[in-house]
Amino acid sequence: MDGYSSREDRIVAEFADGHAVEGIAFRYGLTVEQVYAVIEREVGPAAQGPPSHYPPQPSYGPPPVYGPPPSYGPPPVYGPPPAYGPPPYYGPPVVHPAPGGWPPPQGHPDYDAIVAEYGEGHDVDAIARRHGLTAEQIYQVVQRALANDDG
């Protein structure tokens, strides 16, 4: 041994020599609060260091060494997408008129809605796209509706 009679005496001596309280606690299997309690019990409340109800003082060892931040791979490269050809065409569906200029039977368009939209001033191409017709067919629907109202 190093000449001290008890474990408590060695704790107090290490503390007096300036050893970090955290290191003393680790060596003796105690908590920092328990080390301060031993020092207060052996030396009294006027001992160096804070009483047990204060948080422990920082040790004066070297500062912690932090490594570089973790790498998550190379930074993203932004640019144009790879060339896969021209973008798809999203125009109105192709409707092949049957004899007489009307679309083939695939459900009948709502002619009243077409005439109402045209009367409200909606764009003819937009009306045609919504109803699956061509602009020419929209004009034919409107002309027939006007002819029926006059007759």
Side-chain angles (χ1 to χ4, degrees), residues 63-151:
V65 177
Y66 298 105
S71 175
Y72 297 107
V77 177
Y78 297 103
Y84 293 114
Y89 176 70
Y90 293 107
V94 177
V95 178
H96 300 285
W102 294 100
Q106 55 185 9
H108 297 285
D110 186 357
Y111 298 121
D112 292 333
I114 292 171
V115 172
E117 290 176 26
Y118 182 84
E120 292 173 358
H122 291 269
D123 181 56
V124 174
D125 291 323
I127 297 170
R129 279 192 298 273
R130 279 194 293 271
H131 294 280
L133 302 173
T134 65
E136 182 180 319
Q137 290 170 326
I138 298 298
Y139 287 124
Q140 290 174 359
V141 169
V142 171
Q143 286 174 355
R144 286 187 188 188
L146 290 175
N148 287 339
D149 284 345
D150 290 338

